[in-house]
């Protein structure tokens, strides 16, 4: 078993308990002041140094472990363009396409964020997350929420304005808390969501409600889903989760008692796991747990002390 991230080392680098999570990395200057110039985006399309991230339904071409960015020539006329930022001396633009472009515009395998984020460098991970999040917002916020009028896109793709009442509308981010709960014996509480069929267990999570602090959201969500009171709530880290528009805020907490009860609607089962029990049941396939780039996986592995064992597979 490998060691978990060292809290002292994390503090020394100004990072929270979970360190730098896969979807929380970036090396891109988003240029908030530049994108407010209404001629900025158009000027970049005539610059041969500008690079374009192509996106089709959340997928982009990846080649040799990097995003396959392209030049501005040959972009379809009906694509939605958004300024993503500057990396080094190059400006980068998103081209959100309705359908896959003709062959020759981009080379590589068209992959989704969850497929490749952990293996990308900081620049590409940040670009991909940003592109998916802003594309999802545009797709779901095409009309003014006040009067229903189709809105105009301004500020290089970062603001929508209603031409009828002049109201401005900005990209939406929904905060959600996700919590690794332990008891007095240092067992971890995991729940099975009704949508997962009862065999996949994860940390408990929920959206923050209006007028609510993060700590209050932790207490309320755990009370609703597990009927248990928690204390010693500590922030552990965060990362965007653009499926479609969440910001996941990770916490650890202690349960006052080991008695828990699932709500029976969203959570259909709750279990306390020792490290040995969790490893054994994941290995033999009795249960599944989150993996990859999710913050739930990071919370579980931090408690466990390193990566969980892989499930055994039958050999032919």
């Amino acid at each position: 078993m490998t060691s978990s991230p060292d809290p002292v080392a994390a503090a020394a680098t100004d990072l929270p308990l979970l360190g730098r999570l896969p979807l929380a990395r970036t090396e891109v200057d988003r240029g908030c002041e530049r994108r407010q110039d209404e001629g900025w985006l158009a000027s970049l399309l005539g610059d041969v140094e500008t690079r374009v991230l192509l996106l089709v339904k959340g997928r982009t071409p990846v080649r040799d472990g990097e995003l396959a960015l392209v030049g501005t020539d040959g972009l379809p006329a009906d694509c939605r363009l958004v300024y993503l930022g500057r990396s080094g001396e190059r400006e980068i633009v998103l081209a959100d396409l309705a359908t896959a472009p003709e062959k020759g515009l981009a080379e590589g395998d068209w992959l989704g964020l969850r497929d490749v984020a952990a293996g990308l460098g900081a620049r590409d991970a940040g670009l991909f997350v940003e592109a998916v999040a802003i594309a999802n917002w545009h797709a779901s916020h095409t009309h003014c929420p006040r009067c229903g009028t189709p809105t105009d896109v301004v500020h290089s793709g970062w603001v929508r304005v209603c031409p009828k009442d002049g109201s401005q509308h900005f990209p939406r981010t929904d905060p959600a808390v996700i919590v690794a709960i332990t008891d007095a014996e240092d067992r971890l509480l995991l729940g099975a969501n009704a949508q997962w069929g009862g065999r996949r267990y994860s940390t408990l999570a929920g959206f923050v409600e209006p007028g609510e602090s993060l700590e209050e959201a932790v207490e309320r969500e755990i009370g609703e889903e597990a009927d248990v009171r928690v204390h010693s709530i500590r922030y552990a880290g965060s990362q965007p989760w653009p499926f479609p528009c969440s910001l996941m805020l990770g916490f650890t907490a202690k349960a006052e008692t080991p008695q828990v009860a699932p709500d029976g609607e969203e959570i259909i089962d709750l279990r306390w796991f020792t490290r040995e029990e969790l490893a054994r049941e994941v290995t033999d396939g009795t249960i599944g747990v989150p993996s990859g780039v999710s913050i739930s996986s990071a919370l579980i592995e931090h408690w466990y002390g390193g990566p969980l064992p892989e499930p055994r597979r039958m050999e032919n």
Side-chain angles (χ1 to χ4, degrees), residues 3 10 14 30 49-50 58 122 125 176 200 260 275 278 289 291 313:
S3 61
D14 296 325
R30 295 194 177 197
E49 295 298 320
T50 298
R200 184 172 182 267
V260 295
R275 290 169 177 80
L278 186 61
V289 294
S291 60
R313 290 178 171 81

Side-chain angles (χ1 to χ4, degrees), residues 169-208:
H169 307 281
F170 301 88
R172 173 177 172 175
T173 298
D174 296 335
V177 294
I178 184 164
V179 195
I181 304 162
T182 53
D183 66 1
E185 300 177 20
D186 200 28
R187 296 181 300 173
L188 181 68
L189 182 64
L190 299 178
N193 193 293
Q195 296 181 344
W196 301 336
R199 290 188 59 194
R200 184 172 182 267
Y201 285 75
S202 181
T203 49
L204 303 182
F207 287 105
V208 180

Side-chain angles (χ1 to χ4, degrees), residues 30 43 65 73 77 95 126 140 153 163 176 181 212 266 274 280 301 310:
R30 295 194 177 197
S43 71
D73 291 340
S140 58
V153 179
I181 304 162
E212 189 174 48
E266 183 176 356
T274 65
R280 181 177 64 251
E301 291 188 347
E310 293 289 333

Side-chain angles (χ1 to χ4, degrees), residues 244-264:
C245 57
S246 298
L247 174 64
M248 304 301 298
L249 299 139
F251 291 85
T252 62
K254 301 286 186 181
E256 289 189 354
T257 69
Q259 285 74 41
V260 295
D263 62 19

Side-chain angles (χ1 to χ4, degrees), residues 128-140:
F128 206 167
V129 172
E130 181 184 0
V132 171
I134 194 67
N136 286 343
W137 174 68
H138 277 294
S140 58

Side-chain angles (χ1 to χ4, degrees), residues 53 55-57 78-81 94-98 135-136 138:
L53 188 158
L55 193 70
V56 178
K57 298 178 180 178
D78 60 347
C79 67
R80 177 180 289 116
L81 300 174
L94 164 67
D96 189 15
L97 314 175
N136 286 343
H138 277 294

